[in-house]
DNA sequence: ACCCAGGAAATTC
DNA sequence: GAATTTCATGGG
């Protein structure tokens, strides 16, 4: 499958910037991942995005996932006019996009992320999929369903080695499976109400809720504040309120987060 | 041995 | 209510 006339997309920047945990770079530079139970290997050649192994019937799904209908050039112009340092951060990784991930996958992934590091999060998510996700093909697994995880006990999750987060994962899965939490309904709520609903899940506080909203429900006004972002905001934007970043604050957040992670020496 | 990691719950003050 | 401690696991 090929998408033509693609701009503002760099796969390494987008798939390896901490917003998702399911893509792996191959020796040839392509990225292989599973989205909504479908496997694909992605690469960019010039202004073409090529997805090997993707079914033509899923074209709309992949277009949606990579957010190809949003004009990131225009958004970057808008954000760059707000603050010169934000302009620099956007220029540092101009091919970042905010993926439209599956909401439940984002919810579980960012529950796992708490008090953890990205390398270890990636390993836990992989073991979760291999242990409890449906096998799609040789060595490829879908993200587990809420129903499957809801039926487990914390001990059942011991092979993924997520420690104290096991009971959080199960509580989230149970609330999604039984309808207590309706992620698609939350997508439509005003921001603070959506946050309020998500934090009813044990193990979901404001930061994880903000990640679910931004990465899983594509609420681009979300602005997750983790330890990296707190340091980056203090060092780079000491006099800037988040509200100054406007309706695309979440995209600004991703530029800043990635810039900070690539320049840890700025905060020593 | 100690500290930290894309935090949040439990406990204590 | 605000501040502190605890929670698994793994790497530096």
């Amino acid at each position: 499958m090929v998408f033509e006339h693609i701009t503002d997309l760099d796969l390494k920047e987008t798939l390896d910037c901490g917003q998702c945990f399911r893509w792996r770079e191959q020796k040839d530079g392509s990225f292989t991942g599973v989205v909504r139970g479908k496997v694909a290997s992605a690469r960019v050649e010039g202004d073409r995005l090529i997805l090997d192994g993707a079914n033509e019937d899923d074209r709309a799904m992949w277009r949606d996932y990579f957010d190809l209908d949003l004009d990131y050039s225009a958004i970057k112009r808008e954000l760059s006019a707000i603050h010169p340092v934000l302009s620099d951060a956007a220029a540092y990784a101009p091919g970042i996009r905010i993926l439209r991930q599956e909401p439940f996958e984002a919810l579980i992934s960012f529950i796992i992320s708490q008090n953890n590091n990205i390398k270890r999060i990636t390993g836990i998510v992989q073991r979760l999929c291999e242990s409890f996700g449906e096998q799609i093909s040789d060595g490829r697994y879908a993200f587990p369903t809420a129903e499957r995880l809801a039926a487990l006990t914390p001990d059942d999750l011991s092979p993924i080695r997520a420690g104290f987060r096991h009971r959080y994962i199960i509580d989230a899965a149970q609330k999604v499976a039984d309808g207590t939490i309706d992620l698609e309904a939350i997508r439509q709520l005003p921001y603070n109400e959506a946050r309020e609903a998500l934090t009813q899940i044990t193990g979901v506080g404001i930061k994880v809720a903000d990640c679910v909203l931004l990465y899983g429900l594509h609420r681009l006004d979300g602005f997750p504040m983790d330890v990296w972002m707190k340091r980056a905001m203090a060092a780079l934007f000491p006099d800037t309120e988040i509200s100054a970043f406007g309706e695309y604050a979440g995209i600004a957040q991703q530029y800043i987060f990635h810039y900070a992670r690539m320049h840890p020496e700025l905060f020593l």
Side-chain angles (χ1 to χ4, degrees), chain A residues 9-103:
Chain A
L9 173 61
D10 182 282
L11 292 174
K12 191 173 182 63
E13 290 172 5
T14 296
L15 301 174
D16 194 23
C17 69
Q19 66 172 317
C20 60
F21 306 96
R22 290 272 279 154
W23 291 86
R24 300 288 182 272
E25 188 168 13
Q26 308 301 126
K27 277 78 67 183
D28 63 3
S30 67
F31 286 81
T32 301
V34 178
V35 177
R36 293 176 169 79
K38 313 285 185 178
V39 186
S41 289
R43 66 183 195 275
V44 169
E45 291 182 0
D47 67 346
R48 292 151 50 95
L49 167 62
I50 300 160
L51 299 181
D52 286 320
N55 189 317
E56 208 53 49
D57 292 340
D58 297 323
R59 169 170 287 272
M61 185 277 282
W62 288 109
R63 169 171 283 280
D64 176 75
Y65 180 75
F66 285 104
D67 205 18
L68 298 180
D69 292 316
L70 189 62
D71 186 350
Y72 280 77
S73 293
I75 292 170
K76 273 184 284 187
R77 280 195 296 276
E78 191 174 314
L79 291 175
S80 295
I82 292 173
H83 196 292
V85 177
L86 181 54
S87 178
D88 291 343
Y92 179 74
I96 288 181
R97 285 170 175 264
I98 303 294
L99 300 166
R100 293 182 187 253
Q101 299 182 63
E102 292 175 82

Side-chain angles (χ1 to χ4, degrees), chain A residues 135-180:
Chain A
Q135 185 166 16
I136 303 162
S137 61
D138 194 32
R140 303 288 165 196
Y141 296 83
F143 197 87
T145 64
E147 289 72 19
R148 179 74 197 279
L149 296 181
L152 301 177
T153 67
D155 280 349
D156 293 330
L157 283 172
S158 57
I160 75 172
R161 305 200 296 278
F164 64 88
R165 307 168 189 83
H166 293 168
R167 69 185 184 95
Y168 301 166
I169 293 168
I170 291 166
D171 183 65
Q174 288 176 345
K175 286 189 164 86
V176 170
D178 71 16
T180 305

Side-chain angles (χ1 to χ4, degrees), chain A residues 114-244:
Chain A
Q114 67 180 81
N115 197 39
N116 213 337
N117 60 70
I118 291 180
K119 182 176 176 60
R120 196 166 160 275
I121 297 163
T122 302
I124 292 171
V125 170
Q126 177 170 331
R127 292 191 290 277
L128 179 69
C129 295
E130 290 173 352
S131 301
F132 304 105
E134 184 185 349
Q135 185 166 16
I136 303 162
S137 61
D138 194 32
R140 303 288 165 196
Y141 296 83
F143 197 87
T145 64
E147 289 72 19
R148 179 74 197 279
L149 296 181
L152 301 177
T153 67
D155 280 349
D156 293 330
L157 283 172
S158 57
I160 75 172
R161 305 200 296 278
F164 64 88
R165 307 168 189 83
H166 293 168
R167 69 185 184 95
Y168 301 166
I169 293 168
I170 291 166
D171 183 65
Q174 288 176 345
K175 286 189 164 86
V176 170
D178 71 16
T180 305
I181 293 286
D182 181 343
L183 292 167
E184 288 307 321
I186 289 172
R187 187 192 293 277
Q188 308 299 331
L189 293 177
Y191 199 89
N192 286 333
E193 292 178 33
R195 227 188 204 179
E196 182 85 9
L198 287 168
T199 53
Q200 299 310 305
I201 299 167
T202 306
V204 177
I206 288 176
K207 189 272 174 180
V208 170
D210 287 344
C211 287
V212 175
L213 284 163
L214 178 58
Y215 305 122
L217 297 172
H218 210 252
R219 292 291 294 260
L220 299 179
D221 48 342
F223 197 92
M225 278 288 270
D226 65 354
V227 293
W228 287 94
M229 285 303 297
K230 285 176 184 168
R231 292 193 290 242
M233 291 303 289
L236 304 176
F237 302 91
D239 301 315
T240 305
E241 297 293 328
I242 294 168
S243 59

